[in-house]
Amino acid sequence: NIKILGRIKYQGFDSWSPWISSDSPLKKKQKNYEISFLLPIIIGSVVALALVFLMTVYVFRKRKCQMKYDYEKAEGSYDETKKLNDQMVVKITKHTEVYQELKSRHLNL
């Protein structure tokens, strides 16, 4: 088991760094204010990512529903359009018949 000791003297400075040993490397203890500073940043980042994800899901679902509606509308294959078209044909036919009858009565008078 080899023990290594060392210190550093930087160029342009007169003082040496403290001695460091390979047996007990220095560990910087994180201070409480550093943790309290990072915690809101971490929480804010998670909330922001969640909001971006939810907005993306909302936009894609809305777009998918709109595309489905546009496709059905373009195809004319859904029941509501057929019902409305059939009702319009019946109304137009009835109005035409009533008009023809009134016209014939008026001419016969």
Side-chain angles (χ1 to χ4, degrees):
N1 197 2
I2 300 174
K3 182 177 178 181
I4 300 174
L5 293 173
R7 65 182 187 166
I8 301 172
K9 182 176 188 258
Y10 293 101
Q11 183 178 7
F13 293 92
D14 293 332
S15 61
W16 286 81
S17 68
W19 285 99
I20 297 176
S21 169
S22 62
D23 289 341
S24 59
L26 292 178
K27 293 182 181 178
K28 184 180 175 187
K29 193 172 186 180
Q30 197 169 23
K31 297 177 183 169
N32 193 20
Y33 68 89
E34 291 175 354
I35 294 172
S36 63
F37 174 73
L38 290 177
L39 191 60
I41 293 173
I42 293 170
I43 291 173
S45 299
V46 169
V47 169
L49 286 173
L51 286 174
V52 167
F53 175 74
L54 290 175
M55 291 299 292
T56 304
V57 168
Y58 173 75
V59 167
F60 279 121
R61 282 191 177 182
K62 187 173 182 177
R63 193 175 290 167
K64 183 179 176 183
C65 289
Q66 185 65 35
M67 287 173 59
K68 181 180 177 184
Y69 172 75
D70 290 343
Y71 174 75
E72 289 177 351
K73 186 177 178 183
E75 290 293 316
S77 62
Y78 57 97
D79 296 333
E80 290 298 319
T81 301
K82 289 180 183 179
K83 287 179 185 178
L84 290 173
N85 287 339
D86 291 344
Q87 289 175 358
M88 287 300 294
V89 168
V90 169
K91 283 184 180 183
I92 289 172
T93 305
K94 285 183 181 179
H95 287 297
T96 304
E97 290 173 358
V98 169
Y99 175 74
Q100 292 296 334
E101 186 177 328
L102 287 175
K103 185 178 175 184
S104 66
R105 283 185 187 173
H106 182 11
L107 291 176
N108 288 338
L109 291 176

